[in-house]
Amino acid sequence: FLLTERHISIQTKLEGLEMLVDLNGAGRKSCPLCPEEKFKACYSHKLRRHLQNLHWKVYVEFEGRKMKHVDTLHSPRRPVKLFHNKLGKTISLHVAHYHCVVCSVTIARKTDMISHLKRHVNKGETEASYSAYEIMKELGTNVQLLPNHTTPQKSDTYFNRKMKTNRQLVFCSLAVLAEERNPLECLDAFGATGIMGLQWAKHLRNAVKVTITDISDTCVKMIKENCQLNHIRVDGGSRGPRGADGASAEVEGVPIAAVEVAKMDANVIMHLRPFDYIHLDPFGTAVNYLDAAFRNVRNLGIISVTSTDTGSLYSKSPNVTLRHYGCHIVRTEYYKELAARMVIATVARAAARCNKGIEVLLAVALEHFVLVVVRVLRGPTQADESVKKLRKLVHCQWCEERVFLKLGNMVDDTLPCNCHGSLPGKTAVQLGPLWSGPLFNTGFLRRMLSAAVQHSMDDIQPLVKTLICESECTTLKSLVHGPSALTNQVECGVVIKTLQNLIFGLFSAGKRKTGEDSGNVVKKLKSDASLEHPPFYYSIHRHSIRGMNMPKLNKFLQYLTEAGFRVSRTHFDPTGVRTDATLEQFKSVLTKYSVPTYATATQTSVSTEKTV
């Protein structure tokens, strides 16, 4: 209805408005701009007079387009206002409104609409963005977008183009799970335009059974239209668009895939049905949906959580952080990894309440979001092991040295720096509780890289390669590329086949295995993980020495490796160095290979004289 309302509310000629209704036909007809409760169906001559006098004359013109009053009862943006008359009876008034052709906002009064358009002109925003919808293509999937799709406050069908990396990472993680076992029952809990669920169904086909849900009627209707646009059948609905001869638009009349679209709250559907793969991507924090997600998720399934509340995650709103995540944090040089470990800690606590543990497969923190992908391990023993990895972090606010607090240790005896003794007052604070375990699973990341290559996702391949090196804490590119592409494919195939045999042995014959057998499977899966990488990283610019020129970052990584430390770059910070060296050791190596500024200037002048 929203598309129809927007289309008919803006016309350039009176004939275009009258064409929306067949005025030449017989019988009574209703007004396309008014609800039936206000304007009842009438004959053509009365309806023509109604359109001319009420809708066409009361307009606001801008750039050749006339915006008319839309008097509607069903618009979600303009609810019905209730008033009480003198007799005490409640009466309802339908709120008519205008649609702005520039920003798609709805305004009730004509004078306010004129002032609103003048502000657009003063800012130089005179290009009309009006269209019924625009078509956007991503990863071979087409979706319709409303003109105001970038403003979630004004549109239910929110779409963020900057989250393309997030969608591709989630797709690759699902593709890896689909190779382990299929068919998978996967859920896109917050569909919006349905782009993510449609990509799953279109590329993975029969390996997945996709369910897309949303609480908004507008979004559900948009998702179904996007299914028809991509020749995907909606379960329980009509098949795709048909040609002139009545045949389906696809080859031989068979849709390429099928999805289930449901109008339902995410918590409700996750409580009602079990899934193998669940993706949570609400607008903001996902803490309100974690308990429902872990209740019915199947054993060894995967849950991916995308959090976009960067204000609370990146220490801009500490009171909101404490309220949502139960963590105390401050702004640090490693704030992005701090946010990722805080989200994982919240996920681990939610899993433990359902007697489940987690294995972290992937944790990515970029400018706009934090993505965490975990595998679910059923059983109280697994839950206990996960909860044991939740620890407090001791952070020095002067030198930014940090270390996880172990049980029984005092704060002053934990930090390797001597800031507490050399400076007055308290220099250390306790942050968290945070996840102290590894953030990556190397074997899973290698299979994600294989899936990215298979589905031609060139944008995220460098990121996944960086994650693989970071998980191994090494700078060797051979660990990513390998001797040849064929060797990589063979190794991935062997790992996948082994996992398939393990899963089949666990779930075959429809019987539940004993706890001992399940534990053996978990141990075999954990053997695929690499040696735990050191937590956190140091920024080379944060710890630079005044009056000294630092070496290049790649050279400095080589110097740390020669000193006997594990070293890698990190995706959290382009200037960050992940290493198992302490801050004192880090600074000593940096000081050793730094050159004084005046020496560099002298060398430059000498080389210039020789050239002359």
Side-chain angles (χ1 to χ4, degrees):
F1 176 76
L2 192 59
L3 287 176
T4 306
E5 173 195 345
R6 177 140 173 74
H7 177 68
I8 62 181
S9 63
I10 302 175
Q11 300 289 337
T12 57
K13 297 181 179 180
L14 176 61
E15 291 78 7
L17 180 62
E18 294 179 347
M19 287 176 60
L20 297 174
V21 184
D22 185 14
L23 297 178
N24 297 326
R28 298 175 181 268
K29 302 174 182 61
S30 59
C31 176
L33 301 180
C34 297
E36 296 181 358
E37 289 80 1
K38 183 174 181 180
F39 187 83
K40 297 182 179 180
C42 61
Y43 291 106
S44 300
H45 65 281
K46 290 185 178 180
L47 181 57
R48 181 180 286 107
R49 191 185 320 123
H50 169 79
L51 293 174
Q52 291 177 353
N53 297 336
L54 182 61
H55 292 293
W56 185 251
K57 290 184 178 180
V58 184
Y59 66 85
V60 177
E61 186 172 0
F62 179 77
E63 296 290 329
R65 288 185 170 88
K66 294 181 172 59
M67 293 166 285
K68 298 162 290 303
H69 254 163
V70 178
D71 202 352
T72 176
L73 174 66
H74 306 288
S75 174
R77 301 182 194 170
R78 291 292 173 182
V80 177
K81 288 187 177 181
L82 301 179
F83 297 91
H84 299 277
N85 59 7
K86 296 181 179 180
L87 299 179
K89 295 183 179 180
T90 302
I91 57 175
S92 61
L93 297 179
H94 304 279
V95 181
H97 56 276
Y98 296 94
H99 285 272
C100 177
V101 296
V102 178
C103 64
S104 305
V105 71
T106 56
I107 297 178
R109 301 182 61 181
K110 182 177 180 180
T111 55
D112 295 339
M113 190 67 195
I114 295 174
S115 302
H116 176 80
L117 291 174
K118 288 181 179 179
R119 285 194 293 269
H120 279 307
V121 175
N122 295 334
K123 294 180 181 180
E125 302 170 348
T126 58
E127 182 179 355
S129 63
Y130 160 71
S131 62
Y133 55 81
E134 60 175 308
I135 303 296
M136 194 280 306
K137 187 173 184 179
E138 180 181 297
L139 199 61
T141 306
N142 298 316
V143 291
Q144 301 175 1
L145 300 179
L146 294 177
N148 54 358
H149 64 271
T150 59
T151 53
Q153 294 84 1
K154 302 174 184 178
S155 173
D156 293 330
T157 56
Y158 176 62
F159 181 83
N160 190 354
R161 299 178 187 270
K162 296 180 180 180
M163 297 291 284
K164 180 180 179 181
T165 301
N166 175 272
R167 288 187 285 269
Q168 292 185 354
L169 289 173
V170 171
F171 177 87
C172 289
S173 64
L174 176 61
V176 172
L177 184 62
E179 292 176 348
E180 296 178 7
R181 52 176 172 176
N182 58 77
L184 293 175
E185 293 189 27
C186 48
L187 172 67
D188 181 9
F190 301 89
T193 59
I195 177 67
M196 187 170 292
L198 295 178
Q199 289 176 352
W200 299 349
K202 193 166 186 177
H203 292 275
L204 300 179
R205 304 291 179 91
N206 296 329
V208 294
K209 297 180 179 178
V210 181
T211 301
I212 307 175
T213 62
D214 204 287
I215 196 63
S216 170
D217 292 322
T218 305
C219 291
V220 172
K221 181 180 178 181
M222 177 73 76
I223 294 171
K224 292 181 179 180
E225 292 177 355
N226 289 333
C227 287
Q228 294 184 355
L229 191 63
N230 292 277
H231 310 307
I232 296 176
R233 187 182 78 250
V234 179
D235 283 348
S238 60
R239 293 182 177 266
R242 299 186 174 275
D245 56 352
S248 179
E250 299 91 58
V251 179
E252 298 181 359
V254 179
I256 61 175
V259 301
E260 179 184 353
V261 182
K263 180 184 178 299
M264 192 178 299
D265 185 80
N267 282 324
V268 175
I269 192 169
M270 288 188 293
H271 274 291
L272 293 177
R273 295 170 49 186
F275 291 96
D276 299 287
Y277 189 98
I278 298 176
H279 178 61
L280 302 176
D281 186 12
F283 185 73
T285 180
V287 295
N288 299 327
Y289 306 95
L290 294 178
D291 290 332
F294 279 101
R295 178 182 179 183
N296 278 337
V297 64
R298 292 191 174 96
N299 190 25
L300 303 181
I302 291 179
I303 293 179
S304 59
V305 180
T306 300
S307 302
T308 56
D309 54 331
T310 54
S312 57
L313 291 174
Y314 293 162
S315 309
K316 297 178 182 178
S317 304
N319 56 331
V320 181
T321 304
L322 185 62
R323 184 168 68 247
H324 286 172
Y325 298 97
C327 294
H328 169 65
I329 60 175
V330 295
R331 185 75 171 189
T332 63
E333 63 173 328
Y334 51 93
Y335 67 96
K336 287 188 177 180
E337 183 170 343
L338 200 68
R341 292 185 179 275
M342 182 172 58
V343 174
I344 297 174
T346 307
V347 171
R349 286 195 296 267
R353 286 193 290 268
C354 299
N355 285 334
K356 294 181 177 71
I358 63 169
E359 177 192 5
V360 181
L361 303 175
L362 172 68
V364 175
L366 298 179
E367 181 180 358
H368 305 287
F369 66 91
V370 175
L371 172 65
V372 171
V373 181
V374 299
R375 190 188 294 273
V376 180
L377 307 176
R378 181 174 294 176
T381 303
Q382 304 297 332
D384 293 339
E385 291 183 1
S386 298
V387 172
K388 288 178 182 178
K389 295 180 181 179
L390 303 183
R391 298 179 185 175
K392 289 277 190 175
L393 181 73
V394 184
H395 169 81
C396 179
Q397 297 185 90
W398 182 257
C399 68
E400 297 217 18
E401 178 64 294
R402 77 299 303 240
V403 66
F404 279 109
L405 181 64
K406 298 180 181 179
L407 297 178
N409 286 4
M410 300 299 292
V411 176
D412 297 337
D413 300 334
T414 303
L415 283 173
C417 65
N418 59 349
C419 296
H420 178 69
S422 60
L423 297 174
K426 182 179 178 181
T427 61
V429 293
Q430 290 190 21
L431 309 180
L434 304 171
W435 174 261
S436 62
L439 299 180
F440 312 100
N441 184 301
T442 307
F444 192 85
L445 289 173
R446 289 181 182 275
R447 281 172 272 149
M448 282 184 60
L449 179 60
S450 177
V453 173
Q454 179 183 355
H455 294 281
S456 302
M457 297 182 181
D458 299 332
D459 297 337
I460 65 166
Q461 290 181 25
L463 174 60
V464 178
K465 292 177 182 178
T466 302
L467 295 178
I468 294 175
C469 289
E470 189 174 358
S471 65
E472 293 280 5
C473 198
T474 181
T475 57
L476 300 178
K477 296 183 179 180
S478 60
L479 292 175
V480 178
H481 302 284
S484 65
L486 180 61
T487 305
N488 275 341
Q489 293 177 2
V490 172
E491 291 176 354
C492 290
V494 171
V495 174
I496 292 168
K497 191 66 177 178
T498 304
L499 288 171
Q500 288 176 346
N501 293 335
L502 292 174
I503 302 299
F504 180 78
L506 181 63
F507 294 99
S508 61
K511 297 180 181 179
R512 180 187 293 271
K513 295 292 183 180
T514 61
E516 182 179 357
D517 295 338
S518 178
N520 293 334
V521 173
V522 172
K523 290 180 181 179
K524 292 179 181 179
L525 285 174
K526 286 188 175 181
S527 65
D528 189 33
S530 62
L531 181 65
E532 290 190 8
H533 56 81
F536 301 111
Y537 53 89
Y538 300 104
S539 174
I540 190 173
H541 288 176
R542 167 66 175 80
H543 301 287
S544 61
I545 304 169
R546 180 174 296 181
M548 305 284 283
N549 285 335
M550 299 181 301
K552 298 293 185 181
L553 182 57
N554 291 334
K555 282 287 185 180
F556 180 67
L557 295 178
Q558 182 180 351
Y559 297 149
L560 280 174
T561 304
E562 293 173 355
F565 301 111
R566 299 177 61 198
V567 179
S568 73
R569 303 188 70 166
T570 175
H571 80 281
F572 293 111
D573 187 355
T575 65
V577 178
R578 185 181 296 279
T579 177
D580 57 351
T582 63
L583 181 59
E584 183 179 356
Q585 296 168 337
F586 181 89
K587 286 185 175 181
S588 65
V589 177
L590 185 61
T591 305
K592 180 179 178 180
Y593 294 97
S594 296
V595 180
T597 305
Y598 68 88
T600 305
T602 304
Q603 294 175 1
T604 304
S605 61
V606 170
S607 61
T608 304
E609 291 176 359
K610 289 182 178 180
T611 304
V612 174

